[in-house]
Amino acid sequence: MTQAAWAWAMLGALETYSGRLAEAIANYERALRLSPHDPMRFSYYFVIRAARYGNGDHAGALPLLEQGYLEAPGSTRAPRLIMACAAELGLTDRMAEVACVVRSLKPNATAEELVDSAPIRDASYRERLAASFRKAGF
């Protein structure tokens, strides 16, 4: 990762945490353009998709979630957001499949516990995420 890409990525992370999602997406996309072959690009995908989910762009977030999960199959956060997007898009088979993965990682988790482990401060984003987790049976 170049220093410039890292700087834009860190700014994007702060903006996502603070609920400035459009700005976060723009800065992560800039970081990806500056360092397109970075071995940590899955983390860029993660934050872009998290911000898109937070903006209600579930259809735009899901392909990035899936791509990031392919590149980092050990990720524990990607399955949660894949499940949340699938729940919002009515993709019940994919939602159930990924819910099994989430349950294998956190067997007794509730929607609230899953949200509490997310690095997001914005209250409305957190409530939307909890609602998606509830739709998925948590």
Side-chain angles (χ1 to χ4, degrees), residues 1 15 22 24 26 33 59-60 72 78 85 88 99 101 106 110 112-113 124 127 131 133 135:
M1 174 185 307
E15 290 165 335
R33 284 192 304 276
C85 283
E88 294 304 324
V101 173
K106 293 203 159 248
T110 65
E112 290 71 24
E113 289 168 342
S124 64
E127 183 48 44
F133 291 153
K135 285 181 185 178

Side-chain angles (χ1 to χ4, degrees), residues 32-96:
L32 271 171
R33 284 192 304 276
L34 290 170
S35 191
H37 303 293
D38 192 306
M40 294 298 290
R41 73 177 171 245
F42 72 89
S43 65
Y44 298 162
Y45 287 128
F46 178 77
V47 179
I48 291 169
R49 62 191 175 226
R52 285 189 177 175
Y53 168 87
N55 273 341
D57 181 11
H58 307 116
L62 189 56
L64 289 171
L65 284 161
E66 299 284 8
Q67 179 63 35
Y69 195 42
L70 286 173
E71 292 188 24
S75 170
T76 59
R77 294 182 193 255
R80 296 175 202 180
L81 278 176
I82 291 171
M83 178 180 70
C85 283
E88 294 304 324
L89 293 168
L91 303 172
T92 55
D93 289 344
R94 184 64 176 141
M95 179 190 70

